[in-house]
Amino acid sequence: MNSLAHRRYLKMNGLGNEIVVLDLRGTQLAVQPREARAIAAAARSRFDQLMVIHDADRPGADARVAIYNADGSASAACGNGTRCVAWAMTHDPAMARPHGETLVLDTDAGRLTAAAAGEFAFTVDMGEPRLRWDEIPLAEPFQDTRRIELQIGPIDAPILHSPSAVSMGNPHAIFWVDDPDAIDLGRIGPLLENHPLFPERANISLAHVAAPDRIVLRVWERGAGLTRACGSAACAALVAAVRLRLALRRAVVTLPGGDLEIEWRESDNHVLMTGPVELEHDGVLAPELFAGAA
Ligand SMILES: N[C@H](CCC[C@H](N)C(=O)O)C(=O)O
C-alpha cells in the first residue's frame, strides 16, 4: 500500500490559491512527483500547490517544507502556501507544536520566518529577491533585468513585451499592462511559461500599477496555470515596480482572490508578505489516489 494512503491532510487556501497541507514529520516519507499529480487530480483534493511538512534538518528551524505544483513539479517558494503551513503548525490540533515568537521554516528558497498577523492571517518574511539574470534564471545574460527583450504577438504590434524578471526563489516574469483583464492570459500564459528564455520555466504576471501603493495583478503560475492568487508573484511584482520607480516599497497587491500587503524592506532587503489563510476542510488521502500513479 502506498505510504501516503490514509494520511490526513488540510485543504486550505490563501486568497483562493488552492493549497493542500500534508504533515510527514516523524516519518521518513516523501512525496513523489507522480503522487503529487495524483493528489491534485482527485476532485476533492484539487490543489495549485501541495505543501509537505518534514522534520527540520538544520538547527534553528521548526520544519522543512517541500512544495509541489499541481503538475507535480517542485517549486522552491510558495507564499500563499507558506502562510497556510504557518497556520497549520500553530493552530491545527494534530499539526501544532510549541514554537517561538516566529515560526522558522526551511525551504529550497532559503530560511523563511512567519508570524501571526491575526487569527487567520500571517506575515511571511520571503527573504531577499534575486535580480541577476543567472539567478532568475534566464537563458541569456541580460545585464538589466528590469526590462528584458521578450515579446509575444506580431513584431510590429506585440500583445506583451519587455517584462521585468525577478526570482523569489522561483522565477517570475512581470509584464506591465493597462488592464490585466483585457489580455487572454489563459491562452498566452503557457506559451510564456515554457518560453526558451526561461530554462526553469516561469510564473507569468500581468501587472497594472494603479497607484504608487497599489498594484493589480493576474498570474499564470508555472506548473499550476491560472490561479486566484500567487504570493511570490505579488512579491516579485512589487520589487520589479520599485526598481522601475513605479511604486513605493510598501504597497497593496490586488489579485483576483483579494489583497496582499507587500513590503520590500530597505533595512535588510527582505520582502515581507502579509495576507489571510482559510481552512476549508481536513481529510485523508484515499488509497485509490495512488493506484494508477505509475
Ligand atoms: N507556481 C509557483 C509555485 C507557487 C507560487 C504561488 N502559489 C505562491 O503563492 O507563491 C512556481 O512553480 O514557482
Side-chain angles (χ1 to χ4, degrees), residues 17 49 69 74-75 77-81 170-171 203 221-222 224 229-233:
N17 196 186
Q49 278 79 38
N69 287 309
S75 173
C78 178
N80 290 320
N170 58 346
N203 298 282
E221 283 198 37
R222 175 181 67 168
C230 180
S232 53

Side-chain angles (χ1 to χ4, degrees), residues 102-189:
T102 60
L103 214 53
V104 180
L105 303 172
D106 281 342
T107 69
D108 288 346
R111 179 159 285 189
L112 310 181
T113 58
E119 190 187 357
F120 285 96
F122 275 83
T123 295
V124 177
D125 178 340
M126 297 288 285
E128 299 187 63
R130 291 77 157 176
L131 304 173
R132 287 204 330 265
W133 70 272
D134 54 348
E135 292 177 310
I136 307 298
L138 300 174
E140 295 169 26
F142 289 102
Q143 296 317 309
D144 184 352
T145 54
R146 290 177 301 171
R147 293 272 191 180
I148 63 173
E149 289 148 50
L150 171 60
Q151 68 176 47
I152 193 156
I155 292 288
D156 56 350
I159 302 169
L160 293 172
H161 65 87
S162 316
S164 301
V166 175
S167 169
M168 290 306 299
N170 58 346
H172 292 272
I174 302 101
F175 291 87
W176 306 99
V177 299
D178 293 334
D179 179 2
D181 290 325
I183 290 163
D184 185 356
L185 187 55
R187 184 173 64 80
I188 54 178

Side-chain angles (χ1 to χ4, degrees), residues 16 24 49 60-61 64 69 73 75 83 88 91 108-109 120 172 184 200 216-217 265 290 293:
L24 297 185
Q49 278 79 38
R64 177 175 65 81
N69 287 309
S73 61
S75 173
R83 293 200 314 277
H91 291 77
D108 288 346
F120 285 96
H172 292 272
D184 185 356
E200 294 178 8
V216 179
L217 202 67
R265 197 163 51 191
F290 308 100

